[in-house]
């Protein structure tokens, strides 16, 4: 297989609207539109997941890799974390004889494949792939607003949930879509009026979900489009974002079991920790070094309740060792990505800390998109060697 010549995908249009693309980009945009539809029971693969296998995962086996350092270091660091996840869960499955550890491992492996597959396809298709990613997630925000009218009755305690299992999942998905749009839009000179119209769609959806953290996250994304010192603005808003997240979880979290305390406003911090499964971190410190694995929850809760926090679940399930490996990835990632992009991801990262955010496919797409933008920009600056936008894959 020899490297192909520069293709139309490597030529950027001066207009932010450029509908010239192959069937691959069109299919990719349609796949993005399927991600908000959850038709099977929680924890099961959804229709969008099956399509992601075909569009992103299969190309990993068909395309030769040639990763530049800006991509390679984060990818290798993330791969090391996933290897530890597999080893930890495999060991506990052998010890306990329970096989639900493999289900958790499979989802981590799939998310890594989605992350890597996006980079592979971006390397193969270039700016067309990134542009249609923008179109897909922008169209998702508009589609969800339209669907909120005929499906206004798909609510939970008055909070809009549409085709998600609860309102918090919808709020998180909208926040991720808005973040991705805000990240990509500057590259294609999306008019500010269009950008704010899309953020207004996201803001409306967050209002319908009654997510304070989601509303504040969209507001931060909008403000970052205007300010000259985005770092100071983000730091100033972090306490408000943390308070909003805590309030959302304290007042209503549909993931909790039916026997949860009736008067949440009278609950104590101990009740909150127990409701979210955080108490096992303090009750079972013997697992904090290497991790308890992600499975057989009956060991810690009679109703097999999970820890309702990505950060706490990461620490307890994979210990200091696994957490350190993931933090190495985060460090490598932030070193490769521009500060402005990192700041845009702060609301999504924060939301993920208090939910099972690391399971959401758009979360991993967001990370891959940030890396892809870093490489596209760096290649344009250098203008040396191969003119393809991303020297990640050869045919």
């Amino acid at each position: 297989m020899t490297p192909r010549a520069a293709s139309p995908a490597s030529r950027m249009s001066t207009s932010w609207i450029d509908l010239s693309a192959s069937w691959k980009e069109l299919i990719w945009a349609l796949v993005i539109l399927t991600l908000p539809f959850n038709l099977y029971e929680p924890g099961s693969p959804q229709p969008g997941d099956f399509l992601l296998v075909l569009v992103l995962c299969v190309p990993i086996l068909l395309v030769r890799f040639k990763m530049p350092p800006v991509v390679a270091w984060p990818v290798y660091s993330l791969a090391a974390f996933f290897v530890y996840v597999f080893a930890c869960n495999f060991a506990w499955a052998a010890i306990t004889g329970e096989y639900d550890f493999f289900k958790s491992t499979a989802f981590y492996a799939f998310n890594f494949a989605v992350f890597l597959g996006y980079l592979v396809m971006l390397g193969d298709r270039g700016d067309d792939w990134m542009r249609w990613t923008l179109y897909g997630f922008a169209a998702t925000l508009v589609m969800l607003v339209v669907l909120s009218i005929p499906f206004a009755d798909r609510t939970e305690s008055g909070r809009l949930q549409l085709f998600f299992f609860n309102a918090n999942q919808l709020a998180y998905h909208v926040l991720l879509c808005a973040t991705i749009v805000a990240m990509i839009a500057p590259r294609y000179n999306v008019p500010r009026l269009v950008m704010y119209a899309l953020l207004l769609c996201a803001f409306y959806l967050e209002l319908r979900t009654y997510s304070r953290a989601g509303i504040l996250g969209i507001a931060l994304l909008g403000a970052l489009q205007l300010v000259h010192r985005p770092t100071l603005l983000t730091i100033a808003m972090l306490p408000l974002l943390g308070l909003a997240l805590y309030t959302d979880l304290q007042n209503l979290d549909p993931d909790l079991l039916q026997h949860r305390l009736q008067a949440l406003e009278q609950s104590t911090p101990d009740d909150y920790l127990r409701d979210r499964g955080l108490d096992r971190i303090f009750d079972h410190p013997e697992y904090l070094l290497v991790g308890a694995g992600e499975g057989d929850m009956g060991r810690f809760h009679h109703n097999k309740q999970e820890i309702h926090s990505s950060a706490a679940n990461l620490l307890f399930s994979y210990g200091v060792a696994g957490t350190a490996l993931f933090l190495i990835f985060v460090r490598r990632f932030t070193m490769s990505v521009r500060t402005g992009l990192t700041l845009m991801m702060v609301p999504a990262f924060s939301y993920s800390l208090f939910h099972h955010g690391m399971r959401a496919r758009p979360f991993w797409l967001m990370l891959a998109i940030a890396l892809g933008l870093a490489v596209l920009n760096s290649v344009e600056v250098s203008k040396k060697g191969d003119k393809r936008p991303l020297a990640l894959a050869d045919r």
Side-chain angles (χ1 to χ4, degrees), residues 63-297:
V63 180
R64 293 173 57 192
F65 291 82
K66 186 180 179 182
M67 292 187 292
V70 70
V71 170
W73 283 111
V75 169
Y76 294 153
S77 300
L78 187 59
F81 166 71
F82 284 133
V83 168
Y84 186 85
V85 166
F86 174 81
C88 182
N89 284 331
F90 182 85
W92 280 110
I95 293 171
T96 63
E98 298 291 335
Y99 295 100
D100 56 341
F101 291 95
F102 294 114
K103 183 177 181 180
S104 301
T105 305
F107 271 99
Y108 276 104
F110 179 61
N111 285 327
F112 179 68
V114 168
F115 169 82
L116 185 58
Y118 183 87
L119 290 172
V120 170
M121 288 303 298
L122 181 62
D124 187 54
R125 306 306 303 169
D127 264 290
D128 275 352
W129 194 258
M130 183 67 75
R131 186 190 298 274
W132 280 84
T133 301
L134 168 65
Y135 296 161
F137 282 106
T140 296
L141 292 174
V142 176
M143 177 188 71
L144 291 175
V145 169
V146 173
L147 289 177
S148 69
I149 299 174
F151 296 100
D153 58 333
R154 297 185 68 90
T155 61
E156 175 187 51
S157 302
R159 302 176 66 189
L160 186 70
Q161 70 179 70
L162 292 179
F163 297 95
F164 291 86
F165 297 115
N166 58 64
N168 286 329
Q169 289 183 358
L170 172 58
Y172 185 47
H173 190 89
V174 169
L175 181 58
L176 288 171
C177 290
T179 300
I180 291 171
V181 169
M183 287 166 53
I184 304 176
R187 179 170 179 81
Y188 301 105
N189 299 316
V190 175
R192 186 163 292 177
L193 182 62
V194 175
M195 185 64 216
Y196 275 100
L198 292 171
L199 289 178
L200 187 62
C201 289
F203 191 80
Y204 164 77
L205 291 166
E206 299 291 3
L207 285 174
R208 293 290 305 275
T209 64
Y210 293 91
S211 172
R212 297 172 181 85
I215 293 171
L216 192 61
I218 300 300
L220 178 57
L221 288 175
L224 288 175
Q225 313 298 311
L226 298 173
V227 298
H228 297 290
R229 294 187 176 182
T231 302
L232 293 178
L233 174 66
T234 304
I235 293 175
M237 291 190 68
L238 277 177
L240 291 176
L241 186 60
L243 179 62
L245 280 163
Y246 176 79
T247 306
D248 280 347
L249 296 172
Q250 188 184 45
N251 288 342
L252 178 61
D253 190 336
D255 287 332
L256 300 182
L257 302 173
Q258 292 182 354
H259 68 275
R260 185 179 178 185
L261 298 176
Q262 297 297 318
L264 287 173
E265 63 276 4
Q266 299 177 358
S267 64
T268 66
D270 288 339
D271 296 327
Y272 174 78
L273 293 175
R274 186 167 55 253
D275 283 343
R276 303 204 54 81
L278 303 176
D279 57 331
R280 71 193 63 171
I281 295 177
F282 309 102
D283 294 341
H284 303 279
E286 65 272 16
Y287 292 102
L288 294 183
L289 181 59
V290 297
E294 201 164 352
D296 192 19
M297 297 302 172

Side-chain angles (χ1 to χ4, degrees), residues 340-395:
L341 289 180
T342 302
L343 294 176
M344 287 185 188
M345 290 184 282
V346 166
F349 271 120
S350 301
Y351 208 101
S352 175
L353 294 178
F354 292 87
H355 292 274
H356 291 302
M358 291 176 64
R359 294 180 180 176
R361 244 58 75 198
F363 174 80
W364 296 100
L365 288 171
M366 177 187 71
L367 299 180
I369 289 165
L371 280 178
L373 286 169
V375 181
L376 288 171
N377 293 330
S378 66
V379 170
E380 286 184 351
V381 171
S382 64
K383 296 189 177 184
K384 295 178 181 179
D386 190 357
K387 298 299 182 181
R388 287 185 299 167
L390 178 58
L392 180 68
D394 288 332
R395 280 192 169 190

Side-chain angles (χ1 to χ4, degrees), residues 4 9 20-32 51 54-56 59 62-63 120-122 124-126 128-129 132-133 395:
R4 62 176 180 148
S20 60
S22 72
W23 59 271
K24 294 181 181 180
E25 283 77 26
L26 296 175
I27 291 178
W28 169 232
L30 292 175
V31 170
I32 294 173
L51 295 175
L54 297 176
V55 176
L56 295 185
L62 303 178
V63 180
V120 170
M121 288 303 298
L122 181 62
D124 187 54
R125 306 306 303 169
D128 275 352
W129 194 258
W132 280 84
T133 301
R395 280 192 169 190

